[in-house]
Amino acid sequence: MVDVRTFRARNMEEALAQVRRELGPDAVIFHSRELKRNLLHRLVPYRPRVEVTAGTGMTVRTTNGPFRGKQEPSSFDQAIMAEHLQGQLHRLSGMLEQVVHRSRHQHVAQLPDHVLSLYAELVETEVPEDLARELIYKLHDEWTGAGPASIPQLRAHLIEMIAAEFQIKGAIQTVPGQRKIITMVGPTGVGKTTTIAKLAANFRLREKQRVGLITVDTYRVAAVEHLRAYAEIIDLPMKVVMNARDMKWALSELSDMDLVLIDTAGRSPREELKIQELKTLLQEAHTDEINLVLCASASLKSLTVTAEKFAGLGLSSLLLTKLDETAGMGNLLALARATQLPLSYLTTGQNVPDDIEIADPGRLSRLILGQEPLRV
């Protein structure tokens, strides 16, 4: 008689124990999978996490190596059985790889409730789980033995820990009579042109610096006209560059400026040839600093891949835009650790010359944990 059942347990070991207990040692595993997990599954160790389908009443015989040979007749579709058997080693290997991952969550779930709540806050703000665990273990270890602590006390210490993860470049520093050249690079649509307009307006109108603009974004007429409109409003000289010779001429024309800001065409991380062309052009500019401009609302994978592809330009710092369009800022913490690049500025909207600020580690940390409004 064929007897097929489905078992759910916290892990594969417990599921197999149920199979042996209820179906006996001769039971055959037909299918196993990891159940879809949410935050509750990750925090509560006793919820089922794997599902195993097993049965008795049929035999499976193999010859000439694993998963090759004849199968005895049974009520199961033989094609499904063969597919299962062929993939079983792969699935079991995957399960083994998940053992450490799941056990770490079980350890997190054993932390005190007030510490566990902060772990949940980190995960909800899109801090990657591995990094969230690392931070929360460190937080717990540093407070162990120091007596009871309230959630506000622990959160304040966590904010300090997160702030320490960020390196800060700070504001652009200019010296009268010594021209500084700053270049913005990055993908299309991250806000390079608007950011340059904000910086130019602030240095010209508030800092009373002599500012010049150069654009090499000749691929999009709209981008050139966009920057030209800002230049006319702020009353700044602007040059359009198409090649290395034009760059040399433009910089000669702007030799008496305190600050020259260079806007570049957006480059996809996949366009390695175009990134190399940009590198050649910037070498002619002898730029002092190169800011990689990234949109904070992009995925962590997209951000890190982009940073990796642009690294060959000789990046000085990161400039993060569109924080106002970002649901969770935890990925910025992981980005800072992955790139090891210091932060220069943050932008929080489209208003020129406002909605830009010098990056501050404490403020970034509070923003990540939702402890401070975006606009102050």
Side-chain angles (χ1 to χ4, degrees):
M1 177 179 177
V2 175
D3 184 7
V4 179
R5 304 183 195 178
T6 297
F7 302 86
R8 289 186 173 187
R10 292 182 301 176
N11 52 51
M12 180 59 78
E13 182 180 356
E14 291 187 7
L16 294 177
Q18 290 183 37
V19 171
R20 288 192 299 270
R21 184 168 59 250
E22 298 191 25
L23 296 179
D26 296 326
V28 176
I29 303 297
F30 299 117
H31 178 69
S32 63
R33 68 184 181 97
E34 186 174 7
L35 297 174
K36 184 178 180 181
R37 299 181 301 164
N38 53 33
L39 183 59
L40 186 59
H41 278 82
R42 295 195 292 268
L43 298 181
V44 182
Y46 53 78
R47 291 185 67 86
R49 290 173 178 162
V50 297
E51 181 181 273
V52 172
T53 301
T56 59
M58 71 292 295
T59 61
V60 176
R61 184 174 69 247
T62 63
T63 61
N64 299 325
F67 309 127
R68 295 197 299 272
K70 297 189 300 180
Q71 299 179 18
E72 296 293 337
S74 75
S75 61
F76 288 91
D77 187 323
Q78 292 186 349
I80 296 176
M81 175 72 80
E83 180 182 356
H84 163 74
L85 292 175
Q86 290 170 355
Q88 188 66 16
L89 283 179
H90 176 72
R91 284 194 292 270
L92 290 176
S93 176
M95 285 291 185
L96 288 175
E97 291 177 359
Q98 292 293 326
V99 167
V100 174
H101 181 72
R102 290 195 299 270
S103 65
R104 285 174 178 171
H105 283 303
Q106 292 171 3
H107 290 316
V108 168
Q110 295 169 4
L111 292 172
D113 289 346
H114 54 297
V115 178
L116 192 59
S117 67
L118 292 177
Y119 171 74
E121 286 184 26
L122 289 173
V123 173
E124 291 298 327
T125 61
E126 299 184 13
V127 174
E129 292 176 5
D130 287 347
L131 181 51
R133 283 196 301 270
E134 178 186 329
L135 290 171
I136 218 67
Y137 288 148
K138 182 179 179 182
L139 176 69
H140 179 257
D141 291 344
E142 291 182 359
W143 277 87
T144 299
S150 64
I151 289 182
Q153 288 176 313
L154 290 172
R155 185 181 289 111
H157 190 62
L158 182 59
I159 287 173
E160 293 177 358
M161 291 170 55
I162 294 175
E165 295 280 336
F166 291 102
Q167 302 178 53
I168 301 298
K169 175 75 172 177
I172 296 169
Q173 299 296 321
T174 60
V175 178
Q178 297 181 19
R179 184 181 63 182
K180 176 158 285 188
I181 302 172
I182 306 294
T183 300
M184 303 293 170
V185 300
T188 301
V190 296
K192 294 188 297 295
T193 302
T194 303
T195 299
I196 282 181
K198 293 175 182 179
L199 290 170
N202 277 289
F203 276 93
R204 176 69 179 88
L205 303 177
R206 296 174 180 174
E207 303 294 329
K208 308 302 180 183
Q209 301 287 307
R210 293 171 297 176
V211 180
L213 303 179
I214 294 177
T215 179
V216 295
D217 191 356
T218 55
Y219 292 90
R220 297 181 303 139
V221 175
V224 175
E225 295 307 314
H226 189 191
L227 190 61
R228 193 188 304 279
Y230 283 125
E232 291 176 356
I233 293 171
I234 309 170
D235 191 22
L236 302 178
M238 172 182 156
K239 307 298 178 184
V240 179
V241 167
M242 298 187 67
N243 51 46
R245 184 174 58 185
D246 288 348
M247 179 66 76
K248 186 175 181 179
W249 164 80
L251 289 172
S252 176
E253 291 289 304
L254 300 174
S255 60
D256 60 342
M257 297 292 108
D258 298 314
L259 176 64
V260 175
L261 297 169
I262 300 178
D263 190 15
T264 63
R267 294 287 188 264
S268 166
R270 300 182 182 89
E271 298 177 323
E272 295 187 11
L273 181 59
K274 290 186 179 296
I275 293 176
Q276 287 303 313
E277 291 174 354
L278 179 59
K279 181 178 180 179
T280 300
L281 189 60
L282 294 183
Q283 286 174 340
E284 188 63 39
H286 302 290
T287 184
D288 295 297
E289 297 177 14
I290 300 178
N291 278 263
L292 175 59
V293 183
L294 295 177
C295 176
S297 61
S299 69
L300 177 59
K301 181 177 180 180
S302 175
L303 291 170
T304 53
V305 168
T306 301
E308 179 183 349
K309 296 298 184 181
F310 278 86
L313 297 179
L315 303 175
S316 306
S317 54
L318 289 175
L319 193 157
L320 301 174
T321 63
K322 303 186 182 182
L323 268 70
D324 55 311
E325 300 177 13
T326 306
M329 299 187 192
N331 60 346
L332 303 184
L333 175 59
L335 174 67
R337 178 176 283 196
T339 65
Q340 291 296 299
L341 284 171
L343 301 177
S344 56
Y345 291 89
L346 312 173
T347 75
T348 56
Q350 297 297 311
N351 295 319
V352 177
D354 302 317
D355 294 344
I356 188 168
E357 60 187 76
I358 302 167
D360 175 83
R363 174 157 160 74
L364 263 170
S365 183
R366 291 188 292 273
L367 285 173
I368 288 173
L369 287 177
Q371 298 299 300
E372 189 165 291
L374 188 61
R375 293 185 176 89
V376 295

